[in-house]
Amino acid sequence: MNVKISSMHILVPQLESGVRKFFGKIGFATTVIKKGTVQQEQTFNEFLERKDIKEAIPKENS
């Protein structure tokens, strides 16, 4: 059980990074300008909730 938990700490950030890099390479912005003109990465949840990202991810047929 501990091995599964430990591996999640390594694998989840790598998955997030891979998804961001993929979308960045195909032309989607992965950062936003926050108050005070500071450029930041969106949280992964904010990124996945964007309309353009949702439209780019195919829906599974039920």
Side-chain angles (χ1 to χ4, degrees), residues 12-54:
V12 170
Q14 289 181 347
L15 174 66
E16 178 180 338
S17 175
V19 170
R20 286 181 188 273
K21 285 179 183 177
F22 171 77
F23 276 99
K25 285 189 183 270
I26 61 172
F28 289 87
T30 59
T31 58
V32 294
I33 304 295
K34 297 278 183 167
K35 293 178 187 173
T37 66
V38 176
Q39 186 173 2
Q40 297 178 334
E41 275 193 341
Q42 291 178 301
T43 66
F44 197 49
N45 189 52
E46 289 173 335
F47 179 76
L48 292 175
E49 289 295 324
R50 286 183 11 202
K51 184 179 178 186
D52 59 337
I53 300 299
K54 283 183 173 182

Side-chain angles (χ1 to χ4, degrees), residues 5 24 48 56-57:
I5 292 171
L48 292 175
I57 299 173

